[in-house]
Amino acid sequence: MNGAESLVHSLLKSGVEVCFSNPGTSEMHFVAALDRIPGMRCVLGLQENIVTGAADGYWRMAGKPAVTLLHCGPGLANGLANLHNARRARSGIVNCVGDQATYHRPYDAPLTADTEGFARGVSQWVRTTTKAADVGADAAAAVQAARTSPGQIATLILPSDTCWDEGGTVAAALPVPAVPQADPHAIRAAARVLREKKNVLLLLGGSMALTQAAQEAVQRIVAHTGCDILAETSNARFQRGQGRMPLERVPYPVDLAIQRLSKVEHLVLVGSKAPVGFFAYPGKPSKHYPENASITVACRQEQDALAALTALAEELGAPKVAIGSNGEKPEVARGAPSPEGLARTVAALMPEDAIIADESVSYGRGFFPATHAAAPHDWLQITGGAIGCGMPLATGAAIGGGGRRVINLQADGSAMYTVQALWTQAREKLPVTTILLSNRKYQILLGEYQNVGANPGRVAMDMMDLGNPDIAWAKLAQSMGVEAATATTLDQVADLMSQSFARPGPFLIELVI
């Protein structure tokens, strides 16, 4: 058995079933082993940022890591942006990165790179294997690291001779580390604040705190204490719709965030961080909560948020209370496109248990209020601010979601970073409906000009313009095997959404706004 074969066998024994790949010469023995050994679903991405973003989406829905196969240091570097987003989402991913053979590195061939250096900025665990006999054990350790709560990125660097050399040994799966529990003293301290103080905000973050089960405990706490409740601005996975709380998020715009949090005197954090600005702005504070507000950490990000919230409700003596109705499902909107109208239309038509992959950026900031009464669904957001996550995230979520319909709310500027994901969706026949928000500009940057106090002129405005020439999104999608059509009204969007949900594969709707 060579090292590559021991790698595949060891990954399978550790429960890794999907490989998102963009391989090169250094990884050919891994590719050959995947061909010979059954059990691993192999998904090709045409650029590494597709591969890493898909692995992020897969973890968020499946709750277990996929493996990525990346070509040397530059291939890893191509995937760093979505690994940055995945790290912020606390997703577990195993990266297998090929490298020069151990004896070839001293010759400084063109693809030789500081692969470990690239990896450390986005990985909690990094290791370079130096001999075939260690590959299987190192793979098992990488999976164990990836599955360590709340999810970690583990990068295993494999010089090509460690894969082709004989002497590989299959490693058994290592135990998944237990999820740490919140300190009972921290739970009691949080309960005391909620019981005795005024103007308390319970701030939720991380996937575990935003599940339906966790929200049932939150509902008890809110009903019993009357505290305020918000989620973080960006969340990896948010269970929403009927049967779930109509939770809102800390606003993204700095002025709205400061206004929303202005009366908070005490912050109780559950899997979250105290709110700060995405950026610094002249004359505005970095912290969005009042300077004199106290902060109590009930549950850290790596701890079991569901158990912590349940314990907090019990400590408060909060009786069980049902989550109420979120109102009637909205009607389909008609006429000219608007953010509110599109949100109502998506809420009206989305199938039960849909998955929303949201990279709508500025157009979609107000989508939450109009979608509270939709059918139960999961909402995935861009978490690290590195644009180009939406299409890959939708791709991985479709595979991790086991056939559930994915709706990708996608800004056009961000989409061009990773448009190749459409090809993968077509190749894999994935149930992804992309609603492409075609305003033909970097709208978010136009707003940021005002926020930072800059004064844009003609040259600057041209740098925000995506309309010279216009991108023909329907033709672009069709060229990669995805059915597509253009809509200019919400009526057309509704009709095309309904058609897409009846199809087994991907569909793109370009909404001209």
Side-chain angles (χ1 to χ4, degrees), residues 467-507:
N468 183 23
D470 291 343
I471 299 166
W473 277 102
K475 292 181 180 178
L476 186 58
Q478 290 163 1
S479 75
M480 286 186 275
V482 174
E483 285 191 87
T486 299
T488 57
T489 68
L490 292 172
D491 310 65
Q492 294 171 329
V493 169
D495 290 342
L496 290 169
M497 283 178 64
S498 297
Q499 292 177 42
S500 76
F501 298 158
R503 286 166 162 76
F507 196 100

Side-chain angles (χ1 to χ4, degrees), residues 61-98:
M61 295 310 305
K64 58 184 178 181
V67 61
T68 70
L69 180 55
L70 306 171
H71 182 39
C72 293
L76 173 62
N78 280 342
L80 287 182
N82 274 330
L83 287 174
H84 167 81
N85 287 326
R87 183 176 67 87
R88 289 293 185 178
R90 305 156 200 163
S91 293
I93 298 172
V94 176
N95 297 313
C96 285
V97 185

